[in-house]
Amino acid sequence: MPSLGKKPSLASPLGSFNMQLVVLCVLLASFWTGCAGSGDWCYQTQFSCQHECNAPEKWNHANRDCAGRNQSPINIVTRKTLKDERLTPLRFENYQQIFRSSIKNNGHSVQVGVPHISTITGGGLPTTYKAVQFHLHWGDNGGPGSEHTIDGEQYPMELHIVHMKSHYTDLTTALRDKEGVAVLGFFYEKSNSANKKYEPIVNTLQSIIATNGTSSLPSISLAQLIPSEQNMTSYYRYKGSLTTPGCTESVIWTVFENPIPLSTEQLKAFSTIQFHDGKLMTNNFRPVQPLNGRQVFYSGGAVVLVSSTLLMAALVTALGLTQWN
Ligand SMILES: *[C@@H]1O[C@H](CO)[C@@H](O)[C@H](O)[C@H]1NC(C)=O
Ligand SMILES: *[C@@H]1O[C@H](CO)[C@@H](O)[C@H](O)[C@H]1NC(C)=O
Ligand SMILES: [Zn+2]
């Protein structure tokens, strides 16, 4: 056995006391500053002891609205949704309009500003809303990454087209109105072939790898990014919030059932861009939030069998809903 040499004199009563003090200080320090989470908000994948930030469970430290009772996203339990005849197909105006814009890595997602000319109306919305911007949430190299889930199923990516009531000029003002913002959410699904309509976006990702990276986008229209109108008649509706801080509860959500196809390669391209610390931007979705008694409505693209008691319940709820609109 090799000798370990003379032991350091930690065994003296004073040395041991000092050691305890050091341990105590380190412990206290870690409670105050260490992995407790402080500073900017971030997604769980960004969090580490080296990079202290408020992960989703601590977003209420960034903004107390994030602990509200009407938060998004949610898991949609399809058998608990209520079919609402007033949820007719939305009317899309100027969605075909081709525009030039830029795409930005904003440190949380990729975002594209949209000229305020495309509008949505109908579909049970209280008024006309105009498109402001769109952005996406995704997983890790095509893995689960949508924000909303359907019966627990998470899709690889989700598109959010953010709209505000047409008389507002900025989102900040619109968010002060309980129904000021309407977001259209679309899921993506893996397909065997590339979706050519997404090439302008996918091909530009490589030039916005770094946070704050911005690049001009070839001409696109909103219509080319979403399913055909006949494939958008089935959707879910509920009232929720922004899915990033400040988590403002001013959003009428429309989540479409029919997903947009993208190839695995196209989905993977999103996992090549980076958060501000250089980590790959993956899993930039917020976990689902409690429903807290909210009802999710369904546009009723499909016929469902209902018992007479369920029908009565639906009627009563529908009557109670006249004040909602
Ligand atoms: C509409 O949906 C069907 C079935 O999911 C799909 O095969 C078709 O490609 C879609 N069409 C468009 C234009 O999105
Ligand atoms: C990105 O831009 C914002 C605002 O201009 C700035 O505060 C931030 O430090 C920038 N982040 C990086 C990583 O460059
Ligand atoms: Zn979003």
Short mmCIF file of all heavy atoms in Angstrom, two decimals, residues 41 43 103-106 108-114 132-138 147 157-163 171 181-186 188 198 201 222 225 241-244 253 270 281 284-285:
data_model
loop_
_atom_site.label_atom_id
_atom_site.label_comp_id
_atom_site.label_asym_id
_atom_site.label_seq_id
_atom_site.Cartn_x
_atom_site.Cartn_y
_atom_site.Cartn_z
N TRP A 41 -35.87 35.24 -18.21
CA TRP A 41 -36.60 33.98 -18.36
C TRP A 41 -35.93 33.13 -19.44
O TRP A 41 -35.24 33.65 -20.32
CB TRP A 41 -38.07 34.24 -18.68
CG TRP A 41 -38.36 34.83 -20.03
CD1 TRP A 41 -38.40 36.15 -20.35
CD2 TRP A 41 -38.65 34.10 -21.24
NE1 TRP A 41 -38.69 36.29 -21.69
CE2 TRP A 41 -38.86 35.06 -22.25
CE3 TRP A 41 -38.76 32.74 -21.56
CZ2 TRP A 41 -39.16 34.70 -23.56
CZ3 TRP A 41 -39.07 32.39 -22.87
CH2 TRP A 41 -39.26 33.36 -23.85
N TYR A 43 -36.01 28.82 -21.33
CA TYR A 43 -36.62 27.49 -21.39
C TYR A 43 -35.75 26.53 -20.58
O TYR A 43 -34.58 26.81 -20.30
CB TYR A 43 -36.74 27.02 -22.84
CG TYR A 43 -37.80 27.79 -23.60
CD1 TYR A 43 -37.46 28.76 -24.53
CD2 TYR A 43 -39.16 27.57 -23.34
CE1 TYR A 43 -38.44 29.49 -25.21
CE2 TYR A 43 -40.14 28.28 -24.00
CZ TYR A 43 -39.78 29.25 -24.93
OH TYR A 43 -40.75 29.96 -25.58
N ILE A 103 -36.56 37.79 -41.17
CA ILE A 103 -36.73 36.76 -40.16
C ILE A 103 -35.65 36.98 -39.11
O ILE A 103 -34.50 37.30 -39.44
CB ILE A 103 -36.67 35.35 -40.80
CG1 ILE A 103 -36.98 34.26 -39.78
CG2 ILE A 103 -35.34 35.09 -41.51
CD1 ILE A 103 -37.27 32.89 -40.42
N LYS A 104 -36.02 36.85 -37.84
CA LYS A 104 -35.08 37.15 -36.75
C LYS A 104 -35.00 36.02 -35.73
O LYS A 104 -36.03 35.45 -35.36
CB LYS A 104 -35.49 38.45 -36.05
CG LYS A 104 -34.54 38.86 -34.94
CD LYS A 104 -34.94 40.15 -34.27
CE LYS A 104 -33.88 40.50 -33.20
NZ LYS A 104 -34.20 41.73 -32.47
N ASN A 105 -33.79 35.73 -35.31
CA ASN A 105 -33.57 34.87 -34.14
C ASN A 105 -33.64 35.81 -32.94
O ASN A 105 -32.72 36.59 -32.69
CB ASN A 105 -32.19 34.20 -34.25
CG ASN A 105 -31.82 33.43 -32.99
OD1 ASN A 105 -32.40 33.62 -31.93
ND2 ASN A 105 -30.82 32.57 -33.12
N ASN A 106 -34.75 35.74 -32.19
CA ASN A 106 -34.93 36.69 -31.08
C ASN A 106 -34.45 36.11 -29.75
O ASN A 106 -34.76 36.64 -28.69
CB ASN A 106 -36.39 37.17 -31.01
CG ASN A 106 -37.36 36.04 -30.70
OD1 ASN A 106 -36.96 34.94 -30.29
ND2 ASN A 106 -38.65 36.29 -30.87
N HIS A 108 -35.39 33.36 -28.41
CA HIS A 108 -36.35 32.38 -27.91
C HIS A 108 -36.99 31.58 -29.03
O HIS A 108 -37.54 30.51 -28.82
CB HIS A 108 -37.48 33.07 -27.13
CG HIS A 108 -37.00 34.02 -26.09
ND1 HIS A 108 -36.33 33.60 -24.96
CD2 HIS A 108 -37.06 35.37 -26.00
CE1 HIS A 108 -36.02 34.65 -24.22
NE2 HIS A 108 -36.43 35.73 -24.83
N SER A 109 -36.96 32.16 -30.24
CA SER A 109 -37.65 31.57 -31.39
C SER A 109 -37.13 32.25 -32.65
O SER A 109 -36.22 33.07 -32.58
CB SER A 109 -39.17 31.80 -31.24
OG SER A 109 -39.87 31.26 -32.34
N VAL A 110 -37.71 31.88 -33.79
CA VAL A 110 -37.52 32.68 -34.99
C VAL A 110 -38.84 33.39 -35.26
O VAL A 110 -39.91 32.79 -35.12
CB VAL A 110 -37.10 31.84 -36.23
CG1 VAL A 110 -35.70 31.32 -36.06
CG2 VAL A 110 -38.06 30.71 -36.51
N GLN A 111 -38.75 34.66 -35.54
CA GLN A 111 -39.95 35.47 -35.69
C GLN A 111 -39.92 36.27 -36.98
O GLN A 111 -38.87 36.77 -37.39
CB GLN A 111 -40.07 36.41 -34.48
CG GLN A 111 -41.36 37.18 -34.44
CD GLN A 111 -41.60 37.81 -33.08
OE1 GLN A 111 -41.45 37.15 -32.04
NE2 GLN A 111 -41.96 39.09 -33.06
N VAL A 112 -41.09 36.37 -37.60
CA VAL A 112 -41.22 37.12 -38.84
C VAL A 112 -42.32 38.16 -38.65
O VAL A 112 -43.45 37.83 -38.27
CB VAL A 112 -41.59 36.18 -40.02
CG1 VAL A 112 -41.84 36.98 -41.30
CG2 VAL A 112 -40.51 35.13 -40.24
N GLY A 113 -41.98 39.41 -38.86
CA GLY A 113 -42.97 40.49 -38.81
C GLY A 113 -43.82 40.43 -40.06
O GLY A 113 -43.32 40.09 -41.14
N VAL A 114 -45.11 40.74 -39.91
CA VAL A 114 -46.06 40.64 -41.02
C VAL A 114 -46.71 42.00 -41.21
O VAL A 114 -47.12 42.61 -40.23
CB VAL A 114 -47.13 39.57 -40.69
CG1 VAL A 114 -48.21 39.53 -41.75
CG2 VAL A 114 -46.49 38.20 -40.53
N VAL A 132 -49.89 40.29 -37.06
CA VAL A 132 -48.79 41.15 -36.63
C VAL A 132 -47.44 40.45 -36.87
O VAL A 132 -46.50 41.04 -37.40
CB VAL A 132 -48.91 41.50 -35.13
CG1 VAL A 132 -47.79 42.44 -34.71
CG2 VAL A 132 -50.27 42.12 -34.84
N GLN A 133 -47.35 39.21 -36.42
CA GLN A 133 -46.10 38.45 -36.57
C GLN A 133 -46.41 36.97 -36.46
O GLN A 133 -47.48 36.58 -35.99
CB GLN A 133 -45.08 38.84 -35.49
CG GLN A 133 -45.61 38.81 -34.07
CD GLN A 133 -45.18 37.61 -33.24
OE1 GLN A 133 -45.01 36.51 -33.76
NE2 GLN A 133 -45.02 37.80 -31.94
N PHE A 134 -45.44 36.16 -36.92
CA PHE A 134 -45.55 34.73 -36.64
C PHE A 134 -44.21 34.19 -36.17
O PHE A 134 -43.15 34.78 -36.44
CB PHE A 134 -46.11 33.93 -37.83
CG PHE A 134 -45.21 33.82 -39.03
CD1 PHE A 134 -44.22 32.85 -39.11
CD2 PHE A 134 -45.38 34.68 -40.11
CE1 PHE A 134 -43.41 32.74 -40.23
CE2 PHE A 134 -44.57 34.59 -41.23
CZ PHE A 134 -43.58 33.62 -41.29
N HIS A 135 -44.25 33.13 -35.40
CA HIS A 135 -43.05 32.51 -34.86
C HIS A 135 -43.36 31.04 -34.59
O HIS A 135 -44.51 30.61 -34.74
CB HIS A 135 -42.61 33.21 -33.57
CG HIS A 135 -43.64 33.12 -32.51
ND1 HIS A 135 -44.61 34.07 -32.33
CD2 HIS A 135 -43.91 32.15 -31.59
CE1 HIS A 135 -45.41 33.71 -31.34
NE2 HIS A 135 -45.01 32.53 -30.88
N LEU A 136 -42.35 30.29 -34.19
CA LEU A 136 -42.53 28.84 -34.03
C LEU A 136 -41.96 28.32 -32.71
O LEU A 136 -41.13 28.97 -32.08
CB LEU A 136 -41.85 28.11 -35.20
CG LEU A 136 -42.41 28.48 -36.57
CD1 LEU A 136 -41.33 29.08 -37.44
CD2 LEU A 136 -43.06 27.29 -37.24
N HIS A 137 -42.43 27.16 -32.31
CA HIS A 137 -41.92 26.46 -31.14
C HIS A 137 -41.63 25.03 -31.60
O HIS A 137 -42.45 24.42 -32.27
CB HIS A 137 -42.96 26.43 -30.02
CG HIS A 137 -43.41 27.80 -29.60
ND1 HIS A 137 -42.81 28.50 -28.58
CD2 HIS A 137 -44.40 28.61 -30.08
CE1 HIS A 137 -43.41 29.67 -28.44
NE2 HIS A 137 -44.38 29.76 -29.34
N TRP A 138 -40.47 24.49 -31.22
CA TRP A 138 -40.10 23.17 -31.72
C TRP A 138 -39.33 22.35 -30.69
O TRP A 138 -38.97 22.85 -29.62
CB TRP A 138 -39.29 23.30 -33.01
CG TRP A 138 -38.03 24.10 -32.88
CD1 TRP A 138 -36.81 23.65 -32.50
CD2 TRP A 138 -37.88 25.52 -33.12
NE1 TRP A 138 -35.90 24.67 -32.49
CE2 TRP A 138 -36.52 25.83 -32.86
CE3 TRP A 138 -38.73 26.54 -33.54
CZ2 TRP A 138 -36.00 27.12 -33.01
CZ3 TRP A 138 -38.22 27.83 -33.68
CH2 TRP A 138 -36.88 28.10 -33.42
N GLU A 147 -46.42 23.29 -28.43
CA GLU A 147 -46.81 23.82 -27.11
C GLU A 147 -48.12 23.18 -26.68
O GLU A 147 -48.23 22.62 -25.61
CB GLU A 147 -46.92 25.34 -27.17
CG GLU A 147 -45.57 25.98 -27.44
CD GLU A 147 -45.39 27.30 -26.74
OE1 GLU A 147 -46.15 28.22 -27.07
OE2 GLU A 147 -44.50 27.41 -25.86
N MET A 157 -43.68 20.45 -33.95
CA MET A 157 -43.49 21.90 -34.01
C MET A 157 -44.87 22.56 -34.02
O MET A 157 -45.87 21.92 -34.33
CB MET A 157 -42.67 22.28 -35.26
CG MET A 157 -42.22 23.72 -35.29
SD MET A 157 -40.75 23.98 -36.36
CE MET A 157 -41.49 23.98 -37.96
N GLU A 158 -44.90 23.84 -33.68
CA GLU A 158 -46.18 24.59 -33.68
C GLU A 158 -45.93 26.00 -34.18
O GLU A 158 -44.98 26.67 -33.75
CB GLU A 158 -46.77 24.59 -32.26
CG GLU A 158 -48.14 25.25 -32.15
CD GLU A 158 -48.81 25.03 -30.78
OE1 GLU A 158 -48.54 23.99 -30.12
OE2 GLU A 158 -49.59 25.90 -30.38
N LEU A 159 -46.79 26.44 -35.07
CA LEU A 159 -46.74 27.80 -35.63
C LEU A 159 -47.75 28.68 -34.92
O LEU A 159 -48.89 28.25 -34.69
CB LEU A 159 -47.08 27.73 -37.13
CG LEU A 159 -47.41 29.04 -37.86
CD1 LEU A 159 -46.17 29.95 -37.95
CD2 LEU A 159 -47.95 28.75 -39.27
N HIS A 160 -47.34 29.88 -34.54
CA HIS A 160 -48.26 30.85 -33.94
C HIS A 160 -48.32 32.09 -34.82
O HIS A 160 -47.32 32.79 -34.97
CB HIS A 160 -47.80 31.24 -32.53
CG HIS A 160 -47.98 30.13 -31.54
ND1 HIS A 160 -47.29 30.07 -30.35
CD2 HIS A 160 -48.81 29.06 -31.57
CE1 HIS A 160 -47.69 28.98 -29.68
NE2 HIS A 160 -48.59 28.34 -30.41
N ILE A 161 -49.49 32.33 -35.40
CA ILE A 161 -49.68 33.59 -36.12
C ILE A 161 -50.44 34.50 -35.17
O ILE A 161 -51.60 34.24 -34.81
CB ILE A 161 -50.45 33.39 -37.45
CG1 ILE A 161 -49.81 32.25 -38.28
CG2 ILE A 161 -50.44 34.69 -38.25
CD1 ILE A 161 -50.48 32.03 -39.62
N VAL A 162 -49.76 35.56 -34.74
CA VAL A 162 -50.30 36.46 -33.72
C VAL A 162 -51.05 37.60 -34.40
O VAL A 162 -50.52 38.27 -35.30
CB VAL A 162 -49.14 37.02 -32.85
CG1 VAL A 162 -49.69 37.95 -31.76
CG2 VAL A 162 -48.34 35.87 -32.22
N HIS A 163 -52.31 37.80 -33.96
CA HIS A 163 -53.15 38.88 -34.50
C HIS A 163 -53.60 39.79 -33.37
O HIS A 163 -53.68 39.35 -32.21
CB HIS A 163 -54.42 38.31 -35.15
CG HIS A 163 -54.20 37.37 -36.30
ND1 HIS A 163 -53.66 36.12 -36.13
CD2 HIS A 163 -54.46 37.50 -37.63
CE1 HIS A 163 -53.59 35.51 -37.32
NE2 HIS A 163 -54.07 36.34 -38.24
N LEU A 171 -49.00 45.65 -30.24
CA LEU A 171 -49.41 44.51 -29.39
C LEU A 171 -49.51 44.89 -27.92
O LEU A 171 -50.39 44.41 -27.21
CB LEU A 171 -48.40 43.37 -29.54
CG LEU A 171 -48.70 42.31 -30.59
CD1 LEU A 171 -47.61 41.25 -30.57
CD2 LEU A 171 -50.06 41.64 -30.32
N VAL A 181 -56.06 40.09 -28.39
CA VAL A 181 -55.16 39.31 -29.24
C VAL A 181 -55.80 37.98 -29.63
O VAL A 181 -56.47 37.34 -28.80
CB VAL A 181 -53.81 39.08 -28.52
CG1 VAL A 181 -52.90 38.15 -29.30
CG2 VAL A 181 -53.11 40.43 -28.27
N ALA A 182 -55.63 37.58 -30.86
CA ALA A 182 -56.09 36.26 -31.33
C ALA A 182 -54.89 35.56 -31.95
O ALA A 182 -54.23 36.13 -32.83
CB ALA A 182 -57.22 36.40 -32.35
N VAL A 183 -54.57 34.37 -31.46
CA VAL A 183 -53.45 33.63 -32.03
C VAL A 183 -53.99 32.38 -32.72
O VAL A 183 -54.82 31.66 -32.17
CB VAL A 183 -52.41 33.23 -30.96
CG1 VAL A 183 -51.23 32.50 -31.61
CG2 VAL A 183 -51.90 34.46 -30.20
N LEU A 184 -53.52 32.16 -33.95
CA LEU A 184 -53.83 30.93 -34.67
C LEU A 184 -52.66 29.97 -34.46
O LEU A 184 -51.51 30.33 -34.74
CB LEU A 184 -54.01 31.18 -36.17
CG LEU A 184 -55.07 32.22 -36.57
CD1 LEU A 184 -55.22 32.23 -38.10
CD2 LEU A 184 -56.41 31.94 -35.90
N GLY A 185 -52.95 28.78 -33.95
CA GLY A 185 -51.91 27.78 -33.72
C GLY A 185 -52.07 26.63 -34.69
O GLY A 185 -53.18 26.13 -34.90
N PHE A 186 -50.96 26.25 -35.31
CA PHE A 186 -50.95 25.12 -36.26
C PHE A 186 -49.88 24.13 -35.84
O PHE A 186 -48.76 24.52 -35.53
CB PHE A 186 -50.63 25.60 -37.68
CG PHE A 186 -51.65 26.56 -38.25
CD1 PHE A 186 -51.54 27.93 -38.03
CD2 PHE A 186 -52.71 26.09 -39.02
CE1 PHE A 186 -52.48 28.81 -38.57
CE2 PHE A 186 -53.65 26.96 -39.55
CZ PHE A 186 -53.54 28.33 -39.33
N TYR A 188 -47.36 20.81 -36.79
CA TYR A 188 -46.65 20.22 -37.92
C TYR A 188 -46.58 18.73 -37.71
O TYR A 188 -46.58 18.25 -36.58
CB TYR A 188 -45.23 20.80 -38.01
CG TYR A 188 -45.22 22.26 -38.38
CD1 TYR A 188 -45.43 23.23 -37.40
CD2 TYR A 188 -45.02 22.66 -39.69
CE1 TYR A 188 -45.44 24.58 -37.74
CE2 TYR A 188 -45.03 24.00 -40.04
CZ TYR A 188 -45.25 24.96 -39.06
OH TYR A 188 -45.26 26.28 -39.39
N TYR A 198 -42.18 25.86 -47.64
CA TYR A 198 -41.41 26.27 -46.46
C TYR A 198 -39.93 26.50 -46.76
O TYR A 198 -39.17 26.88 -45.87
CB TYR A 198 -41.58 25.24 -45.33
CG TYR A 198 -42.73 25.61 -44.43
CD1 TYR A 198 -44.03 25.35 -44.81
CD2 TYR A 198 -42.51 26.26 -43.23
CE1 TYR A 198 -45.10 25.73 -44.01
CE2 TYR A 198 -43.56 26.65 -42.42
CZ TYR A 198 -44.85 26.38 -42.81
OH TYR A 198 -45.89 26.78 -42.01
N ILE A 201 -38.25 29.86 -45.71
CA ILE A 201 -37.96 29.99 -44.27
C ILE A 201 -36.83 29.05 -43.86
O ILE A 201 -35.84 29.48 -43.26
CB ILE A 201 -39.23 29.74 -43.44
CG1 ILE A 201 -40.20 30.91 -43.65
CG2 ILE A 201 -38.89 29.55 -41.97
CD1 ILE A 201 -41.54 30.73 -42.98
N LEU A 222 -48.86 34.47 -46.12
CA LEU A 222 -49.27 33.65 -44.97
C LEU A 222 -49.99 32.39 -45.45
O LEU A 222 -49.84 31.33 -44.88
CB LEU A 222 -50.18 34.47 -44.03
CG LEU A 222 -49.47 35.57 -43.24
CD1 LEU A 222 -50.49 36.39 -42.44
CD2 LEU A 222 -48.42 34.99 -42.31
N LEU A 225 -48.12 29.15 -45.91
CA LEU A 225 -47.58 28.48 -44.72
C LEU A 225 -48.59 27.61 -44.00
O LEU A 225 -48.23 26.83 -43.12
CB LEU A 225 -47.04 29.53 -43.74
CG LEU A 225 -45.96 30.47 -44.29
CD1 LEU A 225 -45.60 31.51 -43.23
CD2 LEU A 225 -44.73 29.69 -44.73
N SER A 241 -53.50 32.64 -22.75
CA SER A 241 -52.48 33.67 -22.56
C SER A 241 -51.39 33.58 -23.62
O SER A 241 -51.35 32.64 -24.40
CB SER A 241 -51.83 33.50 -21.19
OG SER A 241 -50.98 32.35 -21.21
N LEU A 242 -50.48 34.54 -23.58
CA LEU A 242 -49.22 34.40 -24.30
C LEU A 242 -48.48 33.23 -23.66
O LEU A 242 -48.62 33.00 -22.46
CB LEU A 242 -48.37 35.67 -24.15
CG LEU A 242 -48.92 36.98 -24.72
CD1 LEU A 242 -47.92 38.11 -24.47
CD2 LEU A 242 -49.20 36.86 -26.22
N THR A 243 -47.68 32.51 -24.43
CA THR A 243 -46.97 31.35 -23.86
C THR A 243 -45.53 31.70 -23.49
O THR A 243 -44.73 30.81 -23.20
CB THR A 243 -46.98 30.15 -24.83
OG1 THR A 243 -46.20 30.48 -25.99
CG2 THR A 243 -48.38 29.78 -25.25
N THR A 244 -45.20 32.99 -23.52
CA THR A 244 -43.91 33.47 -23.03
C THR A 244 -44.18 34.64 -22.09
O THR A 244 -45.24 35.28 -22.20
CB THR A 244 -43.01 33.97 -24.20
OG1 THR A 244 -43.73 34.93 -24.96
CG2 THR A 244 -42.57 32.82 -25.08
N TRP A 253 -57.53 31.80 -28.33
CA TRP A 253 -56.75 30.79 -29.05
C TRP A 253 -57.61 30.01 -30.03
O TRP A 253 -58.73 29.61 -29.72
CB TRP A 253 -56.13 29.79 -28.06
CG TRP A 253 -54.84 30.28 -27.50
CD1 TRP A 253 -54.65 30.94 -26.31
CD2 TRP A 253 -53.55 30.19 -28.11
NE1 TRP A 253 -53.32 31.26 -26.16
CE2 TRP A 253 -52.62 30.81 -27.24
CE3 TRP A 253 -53.09 29.65 -29.32
CZ2 TRP A 253 -51.26 30.89 -27.54
CZ3 TRP A 253 -51.74 29.74 -29.61
CH2 TRP A 253 -50.85 30.36 -28.73
N PHE A 270 -34.45 23.63 -37.77
CA PHE A 270 -34.73 24.60 -36.71
C PHE A 270 -33.84 24.37 -35.49
O PHE A 270 -33.58 25.30 -34.74
CB PHE A 270 -36.22 24.55 -36.32
CG PHE A 270 -37.11 25.14 -37.39
CD1 PHE A 270 -37.60 24.34 -38.42
CD2 PHE A 270 -37.42 26.49 -37.38
CE1 PHE A 270 -38.40 24.88 -39.42
CE2 PHE A 270 -38.21 27.04 -38.37
CZ PHE A 270 -38.71 26.23 -39.40
N MET A 281 -30.78 25.97 -30.07
CA MET A 281 -32.15 26.32 -29.70
C MET A 281 -33.06 25.12 -29.96
O MET A 281 -33.48 24.87 -31.08
CB MET A 281 -32.63 27.54 -30.49
CG MET A 281 -33.94 28.11 -29.97
SD MET A 281 -34.54 29.51 -30.91
CE MET A 281 -33.46 30.81 -30.33
N ASN A 284 -37.97 24.78 -27.34
CA ASN A 284 -38.40 26.12 -26.92
C ASN A 284 -39.93 26.18 -26.84
O ASN A 284 -40.58 27.00 -27.47
CB ASN A 284 -37.84 27.19 -27.87
CG ASN A 284 -38.24 26.99 -29.31
OD1 ASN A 284 -38.72 25.92 -29.68
ND2 ASN A 284 -38.06 28.00 -30.12
N PHE A 285 -40.46 25.26 -26.06
CA PHE A 285 -41.91 25.25 -25.81
C PHE A 285 -42.14 25.32 -24.31
O PHE A 285 -41.32 24.85 -23.52
CB PHE A 285 -42.57 23.98 -26.39
CG PHE A 285 -42.01 22.69 -25.84
CD1 PHE A 285 -42.51 22.14 -24.67
CD2 PHE A 285 -40.97 22.03 -26.49
CE1 PHE A 285 -41.98 20.95 -24.16
CE2 PHE A 285 -40.43 20.84 -25.98
CZ PHE A 285 -40.94 20.31 -24.81
#
